[in-house]
Amino acid sequence: MAELICSVGGQGIASGFRDAISLAWRLTLLCHHHPTTPRFHEQVLAAWYQERKQQLEKSLASTIENGKFVCEAHFGKILVRDWYLWLVQLVPSWKRHLQLGQRKDGLIRYVHSEGMPFLPELNGGLNLPQVFCKDMNGKVFFTDDVIFRCKQTSIFRLFVYMRNDEELAFTRTVLRAVEELSRGEFAADHVPFVIEKITKHGAENDTNLFQIASAEEFARSPLCRGRPEPTYYEPFLIRREVRARYIIVRPDRIVFAACEDEQSLKTAIGRIKDILRC
């Protein structure tokens, strides 16, 4: 489908990557955990198609809209379009609204139907936002790189998001219980913490702690080389959109479950065990 999308929309290669990533982890799930259950294979792949269909409908609608706007042939409409674009540049809020495009409507969220691997009652189905973070030595990362680093081996990834480090010890106790409940799928020592503000001393050697980084810190880091400096950066976007402490993410960056407390986390772990047949 990716090759059928007009280049004006800029969605062709993005759709191709989404297809590859979302299909790859499902094939891993089926081959490693359900090699002899054809009915489950059908259910998983049907759910993949339904998610893909939702995404492509949005992409195609955006492509068609952009194509009509750019390829307009009527002289009067071209004149109105060009004057409109010129006028928008004069008002910062209008200009920003135009720059955002579909992003102004919020993050991608799948509408759940039977068999889709996420928990809508726990804010699942949302595309996980990405922000900047830094380790205790000040090295800047993308949060995706921290969450999906190779230390973890589970298909699903668990990370913790906190406003501050006041309940760090308690949260680690919860994670140790989760490790036992998940039968090692989520090793407590490998779960990263993304924290808005770290105040406690003595955390310099903790490789699992990451603090939210500012746009200025990213701009000064090696990650920004060859990239434009960030504008309109929202450092607390994960908190605003996901609204949970314990967040389980699929390999395609879709939230499986966002859990605020230990009980809801255990519920989500139980569902994952069913999927993985732990």
Side-chain angles (χ1 to χ4, degrees), residues 224-237:
C224 195
R225 291 174 188 165
R227 292 186 171 102
E229 294 187 11
T231 56
Y232 304 104
Y233 171 58
E234 299 181 53
F236 308 129
L237 189 59

Side-chain angles (χ1 to χ4, degrees), residues 131-136 143 146-147 159-169 171-172 175 191-200 203 206 208-214 217 233 235-236 238-239 244-245 247:
V131 296
F132 312 131
C133 63
K134 59 183 179 180
D135 64 14
M136 293 300 94
T143 47
V146 167
I147 296 166
F159 76 99
V160 175
Y161 186 92
M162 303 171 66
R163 289 197 181 193
N164 55 58
D165 53 5
E166 291 180 0
E167 296 188 2
L168 196 57
T171 303
R172 282 181 163 148
L175 291 179
V191 174
F193 288 72
V194 178
I195 304 175
E196 293 181 7
K197 186 176 182 180
I198 297 177
T199 57
K200 292 182 179 178
D206 195 326
N208 289 337
L209 294 186
F210 298 86
Q211 183 169 324
I212 295 294
S214 66
E217 288 172 316
Y233 171 58
F236 308 129
I238 294 177
R239 186 226 302 170
R245 174 173 295 190
I247 304 168

Side-chain angles (χ1 to χ4, degrees), residues 178-194:
V178 164
E179 179 176 1
E180 182 177 352
L181 179 65
S182 68
R183 299 181 183 177
E185 279 296 316
F186 299 114
D189 291 339
H190 294 163
V191 174
F193 288 72
V194 178

Side-chain angles (χ1 to χ4, degrees), residues 107-140:
L107 298 170
I108 294 171
R109 180 187 294 277
Y110 290 129
V111 178
H112 188 266
S113 62
E114 185 179 0
M116 286 187 176
F118 60 84
L119 306 184
E121 66 274 19
L122 292 176
N123 206 21
L126 179 72
N127 188 40
L128 181 70
Q130 178 171 242
V131 296
F132 312 131
C133 63
K134 59 183 179 180
D135 64 14
M136 293 300 94
N137 296 315
K139 184 178 179 180
V140 176

Side-chain angles (χ1 to χ4, degrees), residues 42-95:
E42 293 177 5
Q43 182 182 8
V44 168
L45 296 177
W48 167 73
Y49 171 77
Q50 290 299 325
E51 289 185 2
R52 181 176 185 261
K53 184 173 181 290
Q54 290 183 32
Q55 179 62 58
L56 284 174
E57 285 174 349
K58 293 181 180 180
S59 298
L60 286 171
S62 175
T63 296
I64 292 170
E65 183 179 353
N66 290 341
K68 288 180 178 178
F69 192 74
V70 173
C71 302
E72 180 60 61
H74 189 279
F75 177 77
K77 292 182 178 180
I78 291 174
L79 187 63
V80 171
R81 178 199 65 192
D82 292 349
W83 272 100
Y84 166 75
L85 291 175
W86 176 82
L87 181 62
V88 162
Q89 307 302 312
L90 304 179
V91 183
S93 60
W94 294 359
K95 181 179 179 180

